[in-house]
Amino acid sequence: MFKKTFLSVLTLLIIFVLSMTAFADSTLEKVQSEGVLVAGVKFDSPPFGFVDESGQVVGFDIDVAKYIADELGVELELKQVTSKTRIPMLQEGTVDLLVATMTHNKTREEAIDYSITYFFTGQKLLVKSNSNIKGTDDLAGKTIATVQGSTSEINIKNAQPAAEVLTFQEYPQAFMAVKQGRADAMTTDASILAGFAGQNPGFEIVGPNISDEPYGIGVCENDSDFRDAVNFSIMKMWESGDYELTYAKWFGPNTKYPLPLSGKVEVWP
């Protein structure tokens, strides 16, 4: 009798602990309880996330993060991440989600989960306007600058093994290498390169896509309630027309970073 009672109590205790753990691990519950959504964003990637003349962090990703926070009815707090630090910061709980120009790929799916695609672009090259580099075929024996820990680093090595790849912690450092003549080209997503081309006359984006780069918002694994909330916010942003307005604000024809809106980004009804 005692043994049976003990096992029953132990079973109930295990169920209680597991339920409390599940509750504690719910990002949606935490965000709503604390009234703050902590978003990991980049501070070095115009026009997605950068520090403007007034010292404020602004950009397309910041506006997307703000829209999600508003939909959840909470305040938005921004924390700086880089290509190298963003996934560890999410896993450690330093941020609640990543809105940080992050390509959705299979390798990263092993570490985190993703929202639906919220932006679609492709990897290209940024060169000086008088350069004879027009694509990856022209990169043999050349030096290419990119960011450490990015998909761009892997892709360019596969696309042109005969090129030397220099990696940096942040995009401005990679761009400066090209500007100073230490590298012949910079490679990353065209949407990020557009930020540097728009702010620096004498540079242009060239070549066909080296790879397709669908961006997703990073969330912790196995947190479906929070992922659903993020997805519903993105869907509403599309359905309401706010996404197109935000896109036009940062990538429209009258901006420094004109890019046509890709038809490959889809939201399911």
Side-chain angles (χ1 to χ4, degrees), residues 42-233:
K42 289 185 173 179
F43 287 20
D44 66 337
S45 304
F48 286 94
F50 63 102
V51 181
D52 67 9
E53 296 83 356
S54 65
Q56 299 296 309
V57 182
V58 298
F60 179 84
D61 276 352
I62 280 69
D63 286 354
V64 171
K66 181 65 167 61
Y67 191 94
I68 295 171
D70 288 345
E71 284 299 300
L72 296 179
V74 298
E75 297 297 317
L76 176 65
E77 179 182 339
L78 302 175
K79 287 198 175 181
Q80 183 178 12
V81 300
T82 66
S83 295
K84 186 176 181 180
T85 66
R86 56 193 172 187
I87 290 179
M89 288 179 68
L90 178 64
Q91 292 174 320
E92 293 162 3
T94 306
V95 298
D96 298 317
L97 80 176
L98 298 169
V99 193
T101 66
M102 188 163 60
T103 300
H104 187 172
N105 60 35
K106 293 179 181 178
T107 301
R108 290 174 179 158
E109 273 281 5
E110 296 176 359
I112 63 172
D113 284 343
Y114 279 86
S115 72
I116 56 176
T117 298
Y118 76 100
F119 196 94
F120 194 93
T121 185
Q123 182 178 344
K124 289 182 180 289
L125 301 170
L126 180 71
V127 298
K128 292 181 179 178
S129 299
N130 60 358
S131 172
N132 59 3
I133 296 174
K134 302 303 178 184
T136 54
D137 290 344
D138 303 318
L139 294 177
K142 304 291 187 181
T143 301
I144 316 302
T146 191
V147 170
Q148 185 179 23
S150 65
T151 55
S152 302
E153 178 185 357
I154 299 170
N155 294 337
I156 194 62
K157 288 179 179 178
N158 291 333
Q160 183 48 273
E164 179 185 357
V165 178
L166 295 179
T167 59
F168 299 87
Q169 291 296 315
E170 298 181 344
Y171 290 108
Q173 296 168 344
F175 174 73
M176 189 58 64
V178 181
K179 190 172 184 179
Q180 295 175 343
R182 293 183 288 127
D184 301 291
M186 173 182 172
T187 186
T188 188
D189 306 337
S191 47
I192 296 174
L193 295 177
F196 290 96
Q199 294 181 335
N200 299 275
F203 289 84
E204 61 181 352
I205 300 170
V206 299
N209 280 358
I210 298 170
S211 64
D212 291 332
E213 304 294 328
Y215 290 173
I217 293 173
V219 297
C220 287
E221 281 195 299
N222 304 319
D223 196 350
S224 59
D225 287 346
F226 184 57
R227 186 177 66 246
D228 286 348
V230 172
N231 283 340
F232 294 156
S233 297

Side-chain angles (χ1 to χ4, degrees), residues 20-42:
M20 290 302 293
T21 301
F23 179 81
D25 288 343
S26 171
T27 305
L28 182 59
E29 293 283 355
K30 180 182 82 70
V31 167
Q32 292 178 332
S33 174
E34 296 178 355
V36 178
L37 176 68
V38 183
V41 300
K42 289 185 173 179

